[in-house]
Amino acid sequence: MTTEDARVLVMMPTFNEATTLPVTVAGVLDQAPEINILVIDDASPDGTGLIADRLADEDERIQVLHRSGKQGLGTAYVAGIRWGLERGYDVLVEMDADGSHRPEDLPKLLRVLAAYPDAAAVLGSRWISGGATQNWPRRRQYLSRAGNRYVRIVLGMPIGDATGGFRAYRTEALTKMNLGSIASQGYCFQVDMVWRLIQAGERVIEVPIVFVERHAGQSKMSNKIVRESLVRVTAWGLKHRARQIIGAERRNRKQ
Ligand SMILES: Nc1nc2c(ncn2[C@@H]2O[C@H](COP(=O)(O)OP(=O)(O)OP(=O)(O)O)[C@@H](O)[C@H]2O)c(=O)[nH]1
Ligand SMILES: [Mg+2]
């Protein structure tokens, strides 16, 4: 699969992104004219869904999935992945609509995925060499770095930025995944996806990106989302350790 002949769908979940969605969509189509975009809107009170419909009317590369109310980022992406798998895309991309993910980084993600046919996913990373954040408050940087360090320690995953949401998956790897068992709602959905791929023995590659603080609209980040991540990542880590220990005990008994 080369970048040219792969069918690529960019999934863009939105909740109250009326100002930033049109700019992001235009930027993506400018950078990668051959791709399609699916906006997944959770009945945004600010009318983002209507704006998305208008964009879709004007350009057949854009489609909209409307959901009845705010149901969280994780379920929005699972709905987007199902939609993309049903329609036979080769690559599914996750991307925020708030301007934080620069469209100019998209071709790089797609290029690297095409260059490594054995890779299941390419993650845009803020926390590897060459990656950066722009205008992000110190507190958010600290939270993201500390969260990612915790993920690395608890899950033993050699990933610099497992919580980031700008990434490209090869659909082949996603078809093997049990999407119905994904319960994560907030950021930990991102960790959940990488963890599932790594556990399945898939190769995951990171490329540096520059993450830009949103200029408009409001963050949906909350203490609840941080708590969910902490609880779930800790539970996955304990389960993983327990499996390792039980496996080692069995092996010892056989010897
Ligand atoms: N459909 C849908 N989209 C959501 C939901 N929560 C967040 N989003 C979208 O997911 C993307 C990321 O959400 P943000 O609020 O920017 O969260 P974040 O990027 O993790 O946090 P900030 O750095 O503070 O912006 C944005 O495009 C949001 O509009 C949700 O419940 N449903
Ligand atoms: Mg954001």
Side-chain angles (χ1 to χ4, degrees), residues 8 11 16 57 65 84 91 140-141 148-149 157 185 210 236:
V8 179
M11 305 175 292
N16 289 347
D57 283 344
L65 186 61
V91 175
R140 286 300 303 273
Q141 287 189 46
N148 274 294
R149 196 168 301 132
M157 269 198 316
Q185 294 195 336
V210 177
W236 297 332

Side-chain angles (χ1 to χ4, degrees), residues 122-201:
V122 175
L123 314 183
S125 180
R126 297 159 289 190
W127 307 125
I128 59 169
S129 173
T133 61
Q134 241 173 42
N135 299 330
W136 225 25
R138 208 170 263 260
R139 198 186 71 82
R140 286 300 303 273
Q141 287 189 46
Y142 174 77
L143 186 65
S144 177
R145 278 178 184 277
N148 274 294
R149 196 168 301 132
Y150 187 71
V151 166
R152 275 196 301 279
I153 292 168
V154 172
L155 299 180
M157 269 198 316
I159 299 288
D161 191 354
T163 57
F166 194 13
R167 40 174 78 169
Y169 302 99
R170 208 179 293 285
T171 48
E172 216 177 295
L174 298 177
T175 51
K176 296 180 215 154
M177 208 180 261
N178 180 4
L179 294 171
S181 68
I182 298 178
S184 306
Q185 294 195 336
Y187 287 128
C188 79
F189 167 77
Q190 308 296 7
V191 183
D192 200 342
M193 292 294 283
V194 187
W195 180 229
R196 282 164 190 261
L197 291 176
I198 299 267
Q199 281 196 302

Side-chain angles (χ1 to χ4, degrees), residues 96 98 100 211 214:
D96 288 359
D98 62 356
S100 289
F211 176 97
R214 57 161 77 240

Side-chain angles (χ1 to χ4, degrees), residues 9 30 47 64 90 123 135 147 156 158 184 194 215 230 234 253 255:
L9 177 71
D30 193 37
V64 191
D90 301 307
L123 314 183
N135 299 330
S184 306
V194 187
H215 297 295
L230 205 61
T234 307
R253 242 178 275 139
Q255 278 166 9

Side-chain angles (χ1 to χ4, degrees), residues 22-33:
V23 187
T24 312
V25 164
V28 166
L29 292 175
D30 193 37
Q31 289 292 327

Side-chain angles (χ1 to χ4, degrees), residues 13-17 40-42 67 70-73 76 95-98 100 136 140 187 211 213-214 218-221:
T14 52
F15 191 75
N16 289 347
E17 307 291 4
I40 307 146
D41 186 69
D42 280 7
R67 306 202 308 163
K70 190 168 184 331
Q71 295 165 57
L73 188 71
M95 184 170 181
D96 288 359
D98 62 356
S100 289
W136 225 25
R140 286 300 303 273
Y187 287 128
F211 176 97
E213 167 70 324
R214 57 161 77 240
Q218 265 184 0
S219 171
K220 278 99 222 168
M221 166 71 172

